[in-house]
Amino acid sequence: EAGVAQSPRYKIIEKRQSVAFWCNPISGHATLYWYQQILGQGPKLLIQFQNNGVVDDSQLPKDRFSAERLKGVDSTLKIQPAKLEDSAVYLCASSLGGGGVGPYTGELFFGEGSRLTVL
Amino acid sequence: KNEVEQSPQNLTAQEGEFITINCSYSVGISALHWLQQHPGGGIVSLFMLSSGKKKHGRLIATINIQEKHSSLHITASHPRDSAVYICAVRSNKLIFGTGTRLQVFP
């Protein structure tokens, strides 16, 4: 079974530039998450999709961050314009279901992450 | 105060030692995840549990819902176990701890 695919693995940009990250979840997984992980901290949820609908984007800085999952499969996360404090690893994860109830549907599968450095 | 607290923050051990990492939380949850993150790598899900105990190889995870506490145990630790171990709880959303950095020396 293929895992969660993310690209690019690494990206270096200057502040005020824009960047986009792509995620392809495990086939059949309805729920997709984007997390931001700053060095030394735990992951912070940016946005959660259930199929192509947004379930939670309360911590997404909407003035500069946007995300979409148009066909309910792969997703893109965009930052425009980037700030120095956006330097982090952007993790994509997927799960079969999103409710978290039950031992199987809530299990999370993470991609390798996209490491962003903003100079 | 964080809703999910892990201890210790850093842990060093000699190969073969028994290791325990603790996680305490303050919210009502439906499940708790233990995750492993290697340096520069992605995150791997080790366990998801909502009660009792689970075992996979040398790893054991337990949870006490009444005490809002979970532990991750590693028996016969090995240098390849060196990683950051993250506890995450699912309430209305997934809340992550800041992780425990484990280094196992030969």
Side-chain angles (χ1 to χ4, degrees), chain A residues 32-48 56-65 77 79 85-93 108 110, chain B residues 2-3 35 37 43 86-89 93-99:
Chain A
L32 185 148
Y33 309 81
W34 281 104
Y35 291 95
Q36 179 193 59
Q37 186 176 25
I38 293 172
L39 188 65
Q41 300 180 17
K44 181 185 90 169
L45 178 69
L46 292 175
I47 189 166
Q48 176 184 342
D56 183 353
D57 64 355
S58 56
Q59 297 190 89
L60 186 74
K62 298 181 186 64
D63 57 335
R64 297 184 300 107
F65 286 65
L77 174 70
I79 308 174
E85 59 262 34
D86 299 332
S87 295
V89 175
Y90 291 86
L91 294 162
C92 179
L108 289 170
F110 284 83
Chain B
N2 293 334
E3 292 168 301
L35 309 166
Q37 186 172 34
I43 296 176
I86 303 172
C87 169
V89 302
K93 60 183 178 182
L94 201 59
I95 306 168
F96 289 80
T98 54

Side-chain angles (χ1 to χ4, degrees), chain A:
Chain A
E1 175 183 83
V4 176
Q6 286 190 248
S7 67
R9 285 295 311 277
Y10 305 93
K11 188 74 176 178
I12 301 173
I13 61 173
E14 294 186 334
K15 61 183 179 183
R16 291 188 289 273
Q17 286 187 321
S18 62
V19 63
F21 301 112
W22 174 82
C23 172
N24 193 20
I26 291 174
S27 178
H29 279 197
T31 307
L32 185 148
Y33 309 81
W34 281 104
Y35 291 95
Q36 179 193 59
Q37 186 176 25
I38 293 172
L39 188 65
Q41 300 180 17
K44 181 185 90 169
L45 178 69
L46 292 175
I47 189 166
Q48 176 184 342
F49 292 97
Q50 184 79 10
N51 297 308
N52 61 349
V54 175
V55 173
D56 183 353
D57 64 355
S58 56
Q59 297 190 89
L60 186 74
K62 298 181 186 64
D63 57 335
R64 297 184 300 107
F65 286 65
S66 64
E68 59 184 15
R69 193 185 185 199
L70 292 174
K71 296 181 180 178
V73 180
D74 57 346
S75 175
T76 54
L77 174 70
K78 296 179 182 177
I79 308 174
Q80 182 178 11
K83 292 186 175 182
L84 297 176
E85 59 262 34
D86 299 332
S87 295
V89 175
Y90 291 86
L91 294 162
C92 179
S94 71
S95 64
L96 192 61
V101 177
Y104 179 67
T105 62
E107 186 173 4
L108 289 170
F109 297 84
F110 284 83
E112 291 291 313
S114 295
R115 182 178 297 275
L116 173 66
T117 302
V118 182
L119 303 176

Side-chain angles (χ1 to χ4, degrees), chain B residues 36-39 79-85 100-104:
Chain B
Q36 180 192 56
Q37 186 172 34
H38 284 278
R80 64 175 174 266
D81 297 328
S82 299
V84 175
Y85 292 84
T100 294
R101 183 175 301 277
L102 171 66
Q103 289 183 291
V104 182

